[in-house]
Amino acid sequence: LRFDEHVRVVVFKSQVKGVFCAGADLKERAKMDDAEVGEFVRKLRNLMDEIAALPVPTIAAIDGYALGGGLELALACDLRVAASSAKMGLIETTRGLLPGAGGTQRLPRCVGIGLAKELIFTGRQIDGEQAASTGLVNHSVPQNSEGDAAYQRALTLAKEILPQAPFAVKMGKLAINKGMEVDIASGMAIEGMCYAQNIPTRDRQEGMAAFREKRPPRFTGK
């Protein structure tokens, strides 16, 4: 996906009705020794980092349970859409664990330190409406009879992104992600570097021409 120039947006959804991702199989985990557990979680953390590093926008469509590593997967995405009936939580402390695939770092950056601590310390599960009110998800939608309301809303959101200039969107994502890791002055410098890369693109010229000619732009990603 990272190297496929035709990919504009990636939507993560489950094929299992009622479950986005339920997290680790604790029965499987119980058979591992300490070293195996550490290696398993390290690989899982690396996977989430790879998802977060995808250059195009990513959307998690949460139509059911997103627990533990399942919520960490959703947090690795840029945007999250949830059915109002979905259940989300970093429940690791209820199993004698702590989030190990990015949850302790991505949740505070998403909802703030105080709320993140409360959710992680208590292992509490919240529904889609509560998640929307805290900023954990971008949108909460009533579940439909097919059980894919979040996926349908995610597709609608993806279709809003698709017409926009692909390289500009990628540079916007990069500027936001890298800028959030540093002070604002450094972030401004990062934005400037990303903008400089966008200036010579054909899409920028196309955008200007379309505006002058009062027509929809035809972006190619070049």
Side-chain angles (χ1 to χ4, degrees), residues 86-213:
K87 296 290 185 182
M88 288 156 270
L90 294 179
I91 61 172
E92 285 84 350
T93 56
T94 70
R95 301 293 185 267
L97 304 167
L98 73 151
T104 65
Q105 302 307 303
R106 293 194 174 98
L107 186 62
R109 287 167 167 79
C110 184
V111 303
I113 294 174
L115 182 55
K117 286 179 176 178
E118 181 178 336
L119 293 174
I120 290 172
F121 294 169
T122 63
R124 183 186 306 148
Q125 297 181 35
I126 61 176
D127 63 26
E129 291 184 0
Q130 291 170 308
S133 69
T134 64
L136 176 56
V137 302
N138 296 76
H139 303 279
S140 173
V141 292
Q143 188 55 281
N144 58 28
S145 58
E146 289 76 24
D148 68 348
Y151 176 58
Q152 295 301 327
R153 182 66 181 86
L155 286 181
T156 299
L157 187 55
K159 289 173 182 176
E160 287 187 67
I161 299 171
L162 283 178
Q164 315 316 325
F167 188 75
V169 171
K170 289 180 180 180
M171 287 296 100
K173 173 172 176 171
L174 182 63
I176 293 169
N177 285 354
K178 294 301 181 183
M180 287 298 293
E181 298 171 4
V182 299
D183 62 272
I184 191 166
S186 301
M188 292 295 186
I190 291 169
E191 181 185 276
M193 289 186 286
C194 290
Y195 199 96
Q197 292 183 63
N198 193 71
I199 290 174
T201 62
R202 296 178 189 173
D203 278 353
R204 187 182 75 87
Q205 298 297 333
E206 167 62 13
M208 298 298 101
F211 177 76
R212 289 194 306 271
E213 297 163 16

Side-chain angles (χ1 to χ4, degrees), residues 38-98:
E39 179 65 7
F40 178 88
V41 174
R42 184 189 67 78
K43 289 181 177 179
L44 195 60
R45 188 181 302 117
N46 288 344
L47 172 62
M48 301 310 176
D49 288 344
E50 290 286 339
I51 291 170
L54 282 172
V56 298
T58 54
I59 307 172
I62 307 170
D63 272 306
Y65 286 96
L67 304 175
L71 182 53
E72 288 176 308
L73 168 60
L75 284 165
C77 295
D78 298 310
L79 308 173
R80 285 159 293 282
V81 179
S84 56
S85 57
K87 296 290 185 182
M88 288 156 270
L90 294 179
I91 61 172
E92 285 84 350
T93 56
T94 70
R95 301 293 185 267
L97 304 167
L98 73 151

